[in-house]
């Protein structure tokens, strides 16, 4: 498993700082279908709500919609019982 390095310097965007100093895509990005599967086959609307709430991060890579894998992992860890 890859080691996650948290960078705490001026190269971080405000969004990166808001997400614990983790750069977008630091552990890879996933497409919508994979994000849905990672989150337990939730609906697209649930994914959109989590993005609006700031729980997971989305962006564009090469013109396609992608989600930050680490933000999904962090979100799932935060809701573990």
């Amino acid at each position: 498993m890859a080691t996650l390095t948290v960078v705490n310097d001026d190269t971080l965007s405000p969004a990166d700082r808001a997400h614990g100093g983790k750069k977008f895509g630091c552990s890879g990005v996933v497409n919508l279908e994979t994000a849905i599967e990672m989150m337990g086959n939730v609906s697209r609307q649930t994914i959109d709500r989590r993005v609006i709430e700031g729980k997971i991060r989305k962006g564009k890579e090469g013109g396609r919609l992608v989600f930050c894998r680490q933000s999904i992992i962090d979100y799932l860890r935060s809701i573990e019982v």
Side-chain angles (χ1 to χ4, degrees):
M1 182 174 240
T3 302
L4 177 63
T5 303
V6 177
V7 180
N8 208 1
D9 62 27
D10 292 338
T11 63
L12 295 175
S13 72
D16 292 336
R17 285 188 184 93
H19 286 270
K22 297 173 186 163
K23 289 192 174 246
F24 182 87
C26 62
S27 64
V29 294
V30 296
N31 62 21
L32 176 62
E33 292 77 21
T34 303
I36 288 171
E37 289 173 11
M38 286 178 71
M39 293 182 64
N41 294 315
V42 298
S43 69
R44 167 72 190 259
Q45 290 76 22
T46 298
I47 297 279
D48 289 339
R49 275 195 307 272
R50 298 306 171 253
V51 169
I52 290 168
E53 293 169 352
K55 309 261 188 216
I56 63 172
R57 300 172 73 184
K58 77 173 180 179
K60 289 230 173 180
E61 184 177 87
R64 66 187 181 106
L65 177 66
V66 293
F67 298 86
C68 176
R69 177 186 301 275
Q70 189 61 47
S71 70
I72 294 171
I73 292 168
D74 291 344
Y75 169 69
L76 293 173
R77 285 183 182 150
S78 76
I79 62 171
E80 286 182 350
V81 186

